[in-house]
Amino acid sequence: MAELKSGLVLNDGEELVAEIEAELWASSANPIAKALGNLQRIVSGILGTKKKGFVVITNKRVVEVSNLIQCWKFEVAHEVKYLLPSSVKEIGFTKEANCGLFCPAYHLYYETFTNTTSVLLKVTTDEEAQKLVDSFYAALTK
């Protein structure tokens, strides 16, 4: 059994397809938005607050993991959510042009009956984003 950056432990026979670390501070791939997000992250770090979020896709399930750490050390919130095939209505990716045509931002999104989640991806092509969406869909339909 392997342990991931998200802290999720894989079950026997389960294989990791992707572990997507959610960018919780920056809202786009735009360098200015990234700089503002980094500034906000640094100020929060100085004040002792740290947020981490992950979407973990395996060959058998899709899991959302989020952690909130305060006072530099104390994990005050830890949330693990399994996405059920019956609750997911839509899965896809979006591509937005930022800074003109030079900085495309890819977002993986999925809509459930209770909320919509969008995660900024660290991919640079449509093919890479499509591969993650296909893996997400395949894990839900198994």
Side-chain angles (χ1 to χ4, degrees):
M1 288 189 239
E3 189 167 327
L4 309 173
K5 284 175 49 177
S6 62
L8 184 70
V9 178
L10 298 179
N11 297 327
D12 291 331
E14 192 172 27
E15 298 173 15
L16 178 68
V17 174
E19 183 179 40
I20 304 167
E21 186 168 358
E23 174 57 67
L24 300 175
W25 299 102
S27 58
S28 75
N30 180 328
I32 295 170
K34 281 185 174 182
L36 291 174
N38 282 333
L39 180 63
Q40 184 181 8
R41 181 181 51 83
I42 290 168
V43 169
S44 292
I46 291 169
L47 297 175
T49 301
K50 188 175 184 181
K51 296 189 292 186
K52 285 190 173 186
F54 297 89
V55 176
V56 181
I57 304 170
T58 71
N59 61 336
K60 297 182 179 180
R61 60 186 172 159
V62 178
V63 183
E64 281 184 22
V65 179
S66 62
N67 299 310
L68 178 62
I69 298 168
Q70 291 185 333
C71 296
W72 299 279
K73 183 178 180 178
F74 303 106
E75 187 176 289
V76 296
H78 179 75
E79 186 176 278
V80 177
K81 292 194 287 187
Y82 285 62
L83 296 176
L84 303 175
S86 61
S87 68
V88 177
K89 297 190 304 183
E90 185 176 328
I91 306 164
F93 75 91
T94 60
K95 176 183 175 183
E96 300 173 10
N98 293 304
C99 296
L101 303 172
F102 303 111
C103 300
Y106 290 91
H107 292 264
L108 171 77
Y109 75 90
Y110 49 94
E111 185 174 342
T112 65
F113 288 105
T114 57
N115 66 333
T116 300
T117 302
S118 179
V119 179
L120 181 63
L121 299 173
K122 296 178 182 178
V123 298
T124 57
T125 64
D126 289 357
E127 291 79 20
E128 293 173 309
Q130 185 64 49
K131 184 178 176 183
L132 285 172
V133 171
D134 291 342
S135 299
F136 191 114
Y137 180 76
L140 282 179
T141 56
K142 283 206 174 212

